[in-house]
Amino acid sequence: MTALGTRDTRPLPTHPALPTLRRAAPALLGYVAVRVLGLLALAVWSAARDKSAYKLLTARWDSLWYTRVAELGYGYEVRLPGGDVHSNLAFFPLLPWLERLLASVSPMSYADAGFAVSALASLAAAWGVFAVADHVYGRRAGVCAVLLWAVLPVGIVQSMAYSESLFTALAAWSLYAVLTGRWLTAGTLALLAGLTRPVGLAVVAAVWAAAIASFVRDGSAPRWRRALGMLIAPLGAAGYVLWVGHRTGKGPLGYLDVQAGWRNGFDGGAAFARFVADKFTSFPSALAGVGLIVGVALLIWLYVTCVRQRQPLPVLVYAGVVTVLALCASSYFGSKPRLLLPAFPLLLPLARGLARLRTSRSVLVTGVAAVASAVYGAFWLNGSGPP
């Protein structure tokens, strides 16, 4: 293994510029199988409860906000009795733009378009996850990484008309572009990721960290490409945030006021720590508190393992920023597993271990996990679901 950051600009000589569909086929086929299983479980469970599985995927929670932006544009808000103001300016524009585009050129509704975009984006994300893992650890680990990402407990979100799949696709391919020294592509994809979710900051940070490290280390690649990639990367997020500030009349920090209306913010994890601590005031909620602590400890252990395995610098930076923003935000605590969904590099140590098992054992492990994920996803969306 090479030193930290060494592989962030140099493609492996045996790999093509872009992993072919043939090379990625086992990962993509496995991913589709897991997602189909999850959708079938959701359909059966929803039918038993006299609910529409399709509505749960396309017309509840955030998906409604995205379709309203696609249909009516920005400016819609809900004023709650407690004084909070939920504005659709909190939702970044790329997904609703794509929904509007697809609905305008097809008979699809905006909700249908959101589902279609997420379905295609989830495949692109799976391919991107494979590309990164394949570059770092090889093809077998790449397949395992995709399957592990698919069987996450909240993996059903990948099939919802949400922005997680779209963002993960853009982030993964931006990281792959950085790893293979394609700075303009990396910067452009980072720009688009910044138009998708606030956590687009993580992709920008990865591009900048890799470019700066590359400048310091050597000058073999054309410097103007690295500089232009760095310049392009933050334009999406910065442009939208500044536009919101102008629209609200509150200047560059106006977007923070919009998020405050949703009780969202960054407090270093203080609110989350209080939330966990409150679980220990009674029983059996204390068991949930123990589970949360174990979950956070697992995330930290995975990230430390990523560092110890000397993963490429941009991959470490990206995973670290996504994890910190998810855990340290004062947003809806039930959303944190969903917010961590794009942090796929945390799965690479597990994928590496799974790849070392015999094929029969790895298939058994992922198969059991896929069934558990499908059942949990159906239960979750028919219950509280993602806020």
Side-chain angles (χ1 to χ4, degrees):
M1 182 63 68
T2 54
L4 179 66
T6 300
R7 299 175 68 181
D8 59 356
T9 61
R10 301 176 185 175
L12 295 181
T14 57
H15 287 196
L18 182 71
T20 62
L21 276 174
R22 182 175 181 178
R23 183 174 181 85
L28 298 181
L29 290 174
Y31 179 78
V32 170
V34 173
R35 289 273 49 84
V36 169
L37 177 63
L39 293 175
L40 287 175
L42 177 64
V44 171
W45 196 300
S46 301
R49 294 175 60 87
D50 198 27
K51 291 184 178 181
S52 167
Y54 189 68
K55 183 176 181 180
L56 293 175
L57 295 169
T58 64
R60 290 190 68 187
W61 305 295
D62 288 6
S63 58
L64 287 175
W65 287 90
Y66 283 119
T67 55
R68 287 191 183 110
V69 173
E71 182 178 7
L72 304 173
Y74 286 105
Y76 177 81
E77 62 183 28
V78 175
R79 295 183 177 272
L80 303 182
D84 291 338
V85 178
H86 288 185
S87 168
N88 66 358
L89 289 170
F91 295 87
F92 277 50
L94 186 58
L95 176 57
W97 283 350
L98 293 175
E99 289 177 345
R100 180 182 297 178
L101 175 63
L102 189 54
S104 68
V105 297
S106 72
M108 291 183 178
S109 67
Y110 293 110
D112 295 338
F115 182 73
V117 169
S118 291
L120 294 174
S122 69
L123 286 173
W127 194 0
V129 170
F130 171 82
V132 173
D134 179 29
H135 183 91
V136 177
Y137 290 133
R139 185 184 188 188
R140 189 175 176 89
V143 174
C144 292
V146 171
L147 293 178
L148 288 174
W149 189 65
V151 302
L152 289 172
V154 294
I156 190 65
V157 174
Q158 298 163 16
S159 299
M160 297 180 68
Y162 271 41
S163 61
E164 274 76 9
S165 290
L166 178 61
F167 175 79
T168 304
L170 294 168
W173 284 110
S174 181
L175 287 176
Y176 183 75
V178 169
L179 293 173
T180 54
R182 292 163 175 80
W183 297 103
L184 296 182
T185 300
T188 301
L189 292 172
L191 182 156
L192 294 173
L195 287 171
T196 307
R197 295 185 64 80
V199 75
L201 171 66
V203 189
V204 176
V207 173
W208 275 59
I212 292 172
S214 180
F215 276 127
V216 171
R217 185 177 60 250
D218 63 69
S220 58
R223 288 179 176 270
W224 71 269
R225 291 182 180 274
R226 279 177 281 182
L228 188 55
M230 291 177 68
L231 178 65
I232 292 172
L235 294 182
Y240 181 69
V241 168
L242 291 175
W243 178 80
V244 171
H246 174 74
R247 170 140 184 165
T248 59
K250 296 182 178 180
L253 301 181
Y255 183 76
L256 297 180
D257 290 335
V258 171
Q259 285 286 4
W262 286 81
R263 299 289 181 95
N264 289 337
F266 186 87
D267 62 0
F272 184 47
R274 290 193 297 269
F275 174 78
V276 174
D278 288 343
K279 295 294 183 181
F280 290 94
T281 59
S282 63
F283 187 86
S285 66
L287 297 178
V290 172
L292 290 170
I293 292 175
V294 171
V296 172
L298 175 61
L299 291 173
I300 296 173
W301 175 78
L302 285 172
Y303 187 75
V304 170
T305 303
C306 291
V307 175
R308 294 183 65 181
Q309 291 181 353
R310 295 183 178 273
Q311 289 182 9
L313 176 63
V315 177
L316 291 174
V317 170
Y318 168 77
V321 174
V322 172
T323 302
V324 168
L325 291 178
L327 294 181
C328 297
S330 58
S331 57
Y332 296 106
F333 303 114
S335 296
K336 292 194 181 294
R338 174 172 65 86
L339 298 179
L340 286 164
L341 196 60
F344 68 89
L346 295 179
L347 299 172
L348 295 188
L350 300 178
R352 190 182 186 188
L354 188 61
R356 291 172 175 170
L357 298 177
R358 288 187 296 183
T359 300
S360 58
R361 291 185 179 180
S362 61
V363 168
L364 177 62
V365 170
T366 54
V368 171
V371 172
S373 175
V375 172
Y376 178 76
F379 166 78
W380 188 43
L381 287 197
N382 278 277
S384 59

